Amino acid sequence: MFNQGYRLAYETFFAHADDPETASLAFRDWLKQEASKAPFMKGKQKLVGLEFGEMAEVLFPPGQVEGRVFTLEQLKRKLHQIMTSKKGFKALKKKKIIDRALPRLLVAATLTEEFGYSQIELTERELGAGLIIEAGMKKP
């Protein structure tokens, strides 16, 4: 059920898009609206990313998931690489599990920035946070 939320986001914003920048900005705008409803996420000690292993595996060099830290700058740099190459975007969409990895990258970057953090720390623990995305995507 968790992955359906990210898959739905991928299908809605990226699967049929030719322009990575337009797709990314549209998803980012939607995420920012949702983040504005969660002011309680600001001002904590650190932002922890649950179930972001697929993002790390597909879009970044190999490394252990538990305790892995991505700075906001690293996340933005990866997004910039994706958004500025239509050819690269087309090739990226052919990668295995990209439907779960790409939306997670946007979520990690957008929420890290919106909540005022400089980095996100990953954990291998699992939680159905994708259900939030799925529920939001189904709103009229």
Side-chain angles (χ1 to χ4, degrees), residues 80-97:
H80 180 73
Q81 289 172 352
I82 292 168
M83 292 189 336
T84 57
S85 173
K86 288 183 182 182
K87 184 178 177 182
F89 181 60
K90 187 175 182 179
L92 183 67
K93 291 189 335 180
K94 293 178 182 178
K95 283 192 166 195
K96 184 179 180 184
I97 67 170

Side-chain angles (χ1 to χ4, degrees), residues 108-137:
T110 302
L111 296 186
T112 299
E113 185 170 42
E114 287 300 303
F115 296 141
Y117 295 93
S118 60
Q119 62 188 29
I120 183 171
E121 182 177 327
L122 306 188
T123 181
E124 291 185 287
R125 294 181 190 104
E126 295 183 7
L127 179 68
L131 296 175
I132 296 168
I133 293 172
E134 181 181 38
M137 296 292 295

